[in-house]
Amino acid sequence: MRNEGLGWAMGTWTGGAGGPWAEVRETHSGVVVLVGERAYKAKKPVDLGFLDFTSLAARQRACSREVELNRRLSPDVYLGVGRLEQPDGPAEPVVVMRRMPDDRRLATLVRHREPVEADLRDLAHRIAALHARSARSPEIDAAGSRDSLRARWADTFRQVRPFHGPVLDPTQAQDVERLTLRFLAGRGPLLDARVRRGCIVDGHGDLIAEDVFCLPDGPRVLDCLEFDDRLRHLDRIDDAAFLAMDLERLGAPEEAARFLGWYQELSGDWSPPALVHHYIAYRAFVRAKVACLRHAQGSRRAPAQARALTALAHRHLVSGAVALTLVGGLPATGKTTVAGLLADRFGMVVIGSDRVRKELAGLTPERSARSGYRQGIYSAEHTRATYAEMLRRAEALLGMGEPVVLDASWADLANRSRARAVAELCSADLVELRCEAPPHVAAARMAGRPGPSDADPVVAARMAEDMAPWPEATSVATTAPPESTMMRVVDRFGRRQPPITRPPAARP
């Protein structure tokens, strides 16, 4: 609905020619009456499972809390709680607000492809400031635990299951549940660390573009969650991810990425991209649930919206799945190049056996440690220690939501088995790649390396004789240009997308 012909001036509405003076708008839980320069919002006497407004006392509490909480971001919009008097019954509480101009809704501006970059940066600053001054407490922190997050998802799954088939594609909805639970199973260390760092806040909880108004003196944010404090206690990146999800839903993924980048910059919170994907998925699926409920109330457009939001959630869960990638092969077959390309495209952390091996031996990476086959720091003992340390580091990173590439020969079956066990322990997808190049190409690469190489064609030949069969790995020929090589590699990662945001290059 639009208020055509109405304008905003000095905080007061002025009627324009042909503009509606009064309108009524309805949501699944409330009714808003727009009259002149005021908006009056009443709660519906409904029980939707996740909220219960059936009693007058509950509606009164919700109205009072709505004013109190929303004044944190828009103190000049929320004027107080009024009463709708009735001649034959109790007065109904209503939230009294200044009426906002519809044509300045963030959602409207995005749909019309109006520039909103400055508004989004200002909004990111205000949300980061809200989170910075948010109260902290053990009760609030509890909302950031893995058990709490899993319970929130479980409630949504339960409420959506009756709509599998009539509204949602059952296969996709079930895969959303599978991917969600797999991510949570392996991310206990990450979520615990977020709690310790003070990342759990009393936030907004319902940050959508329809409720943001971009005014000349800065954005106004309306309609935070007031009916259940527990739903407003959340990870701060979860709060910001809600708006990013909504911008993407409106067809503005670049604006979503910019907003998230600005939020992370201004809050100093460079959370792992996998966590950002997870929370965007969560917010999309919550909105899918709301669309399902609107369908039950008779909305004709709700089923299509629910399906689109479920698809968005699924896409982000796929992209946020944490992966352990083994890049192996003989010397000079392009392992390090492929590992670096993966890191650049998917934001993965590379752990290379050459560097770890020399680090454990007290050597700098540049120093040659050339020796005979399986001698010196390449003995069986040193090799076991090198792979054990690589896997130890990988396990720690995977638990923190960081995808990892392990660059090594992976010639030994036992080491591959240990890597698979780590992936299973961390609920991480395992990708196995075997780089290949003809012996004469590998020999030329070894000869062309700056400084003495630790491996030579003789060592490479001995390794080829001893390398255990690796049928589980995808073969990657590295004689083609890097772009062609990456096309083969990226196919192995399915529909996983690059990170939404990246930290600055100087980040330690």
Side-chain angles (χ1 to χ4, degrees):
M1 299 182 183
R2 300 184 59 199
N3 292 312
E4 297 177 1
L6 297 181
W8 178 263
M10 301 298 290
T12 303
W13 277 90
T14 56
W21 186 75
E23 290 186 70
V24 178
R25 300 179 181 181
E26 186 175 356
T27 70
H28 60 286
S29 63
V31 176
V32 180
V33 179
L34 306 173
V35 181
E37 64 181 35
R38 293 286 184 267
Y40 303 93
K41 182 177 180 181
K43 309 296 183 184
K44 288 182 179 178
V46 295
D47 182 352
L48 298 178
F50 60 92
L51 62 80
D52 184 355
F53 291 158
T54 52
S55 73
L56 181 64
R59 298 195 294 277
Q60 177 68 52
R61 286 193 302 271
C63 288
S64 297
R65 285 292 279 166
E66 180 168 353
V67 171
E68 175 190 355
L69 293 166
N70 281 289
R71 280 177 173 172
R72 298 177 301 169
L73 286 170
S74 300
D76 61 336
V77 175
Y78 286 81
L79 305 179
V81 179
R83 297 193 307 167
L84 178 62
E85 299 288 349
Q86 304 180 69
D88 57 351
E92 186 68 28
V94 292
V95 175
V96 183
M97 306 163 62
R98 294 189 186 278
R99 188 174 180 177
M100 296 284 100
D102 269 359
D103 61 354
R104 298 307 301 168
R105 285 183 188 271
L106 176 58
T108 300
L109 298 175
V110 169
R111 289 190 184 101
H112 293 170
R113 297 297 183 260
E114 297 288 337
V116 293
E117 285 79 4
D119 300 292
L120 288 176
R121 185 172 179 86
D122 193 349
L123 181 59
H125 185 276
R126 293 179 186 227
I127 299 301
L130 169 69
H131 293 164
R133 63 177 182 266
S134 171
R136 266 68 169 178
S137 71
E139 180 184 7
I140 293 173
D141 284 346
S145 70
R146 179 169 54 183
D147 287 348
S148 177
L149 183 53
R150 186 187 284 120
R152 284 163 54 191
W153 274 103
D155 286 345
T156 299
F157 291 143
R158 174 178 52 79
Q159 292 159 359
V160 163
R161 282 194 191 103
F163 300 97
H164 288 193
V167 177
L168 302 180
D169 176 359
T171 300
Q172 187 174 65
Q174 290 163 8
D175 206 36
V176 165
E177 187 165 353
R178 179 188 65 81
L179 289 166
T180 295
L181 297 178
R182 179 167 172 77
F183 178 89
L184 292 175
R187 255 35 74 195
L190 169 62
L191 297 172
D192 289 345
R194 301 287 294 173
V195 172
R196 291 195 301 271
R197 288 178 52 199
C199 298
I200 315 306
V201 300
D202 185 336
H204 185 279
D206 196 22
L207 196 58
I208 60 174
E210 286 288 339
D211 294 333
V212 176
F213 294 84
C214 302
L215 305 184
D217 59 343
R220 303 297 195 278
V221 184
L222 279 54
D223 285 347
C224 79
L225 286 176
E226 84 291 338
F227 58 84
D228 187 343
D229 288 349
R230 295 170 299 175
L231 297 180
R232 214 178 47 255
H233 297 166
L234 73 181
D235 193 308
R236 58 194 178 194
I237 202 67
D238 180 2
D239 220 11
F242 205 149
L243 184 62
M245 177 280 298
D246 209 36
L247 291 169
E248 184 174 344
R249 179 188 65 84
L250 292 168
E254 293 183 1
E255 285 79 0
R258 290 192 191 103
F259 169 74
L260 277 174
W262 284 324
Y263 174 80
Q264 291 185 294
E265 172 192 348
L266 293 164
S267 66
D269 186 351
W270 292 104
S271 49
L275 187 65
V276 178
H277 277 300
H278 184 83
Y279 279 130
I280 290 177
Y282 173 70
R283 289 303 166 184
F285 204 64
V286 168
R287 297 304 295 178
K289 172 188 71 176
V290 173
C292 288
L293 295 173
R294 289 204 310 271
H295 162 72
Q297 293 178 336
S299 171
R300 294 180 179 179
R301 294 194 303 169
Q305 294 169 346
R307 287 189 289 271
L309 286 160
T310 300
L312 194 158
H314 187 264
R315 186 164 64 248
H316 279 280
L317 287 169
V318 169
S319 296
V322 178
L324 174 63
T325 303
L326 312 184
V327 178
L330 297 173
T333 53
K335 301 186 297 297
T336 300
T337 298
V338 169
L341 291 170
L342 283 172
D344 289 342
R345 181 176 180 87
F346 294 113
M348 297 177 171
V349 179
V350 177
I351 302 174
S353 62
D354 289 346
R355 182 175 292 271
V356 171
R357 188 186 299 272
K358 291 183 178 180
E359 180 184 322
L360 294 177
L363 302 176
T364 62
E366 300 80 16
R367 183 174 173 180
S368 174
R370 190 168 185 173
S371 61
Y373 181 57
R374 291 190 173 180
Q375 295 178 9
I377 69 169
Y378 293 91
S379 68
E381 180 183 355
H382 280 284
T383 297
R384 279 194 297 270
T386 297
Y387 278 84
E389 177 62 16
M390 291 173 65
L391 291 172
R392 185 194 66 80
R393 296 181 187 184
E395 182 179 337
L397 287 165
L398 294 169
M400 293 298 290
E402 298 283 1
V404 177
V405 180
L406 296 180
D407 168 16
S409 68
W410 295 105
D412 185 69
L413 181 59
N415 287 325
R416 295 178 210 157
S417 297
R418 294 184 187 103
R420 291 169 190 142
V422 167
E424 183 64 26
L425 177 67
C426 297
S427 297
D429 296 343
L430 181 67
V431 178
E432 302 178 56
L433 305 173
R434 184 181 66 255
C435 295
E436 296 182 338
H440 71 278
V441 172
R445 289 173 178 171
M446 285 184 268
R449 285 174 175 171
S453 173
D454 284 0
D456 59 24
V458 174
V459 169
R462 294 287 302 278
M463 288 182 64
E465 293 173 359
D466 291 346
M467 189 162 188
W470 197 1
E472 302 87 353
T474 298
S475 176
V476 180
T478 61
T479 50
E483 297 78 11
S484 299
T485 301
M486 276 306 292
M487 288 179 63
R488 168 76 166 157
V489 172
V490 169
D491 285 345
R492 183 64 182 82
F493 285 83
R495 291 174 292 172
R496 189 178 274 106
Q497 298 296 313
I500 299 171
T501 61
R502 297 174 186 264
R507 180 194 179 199

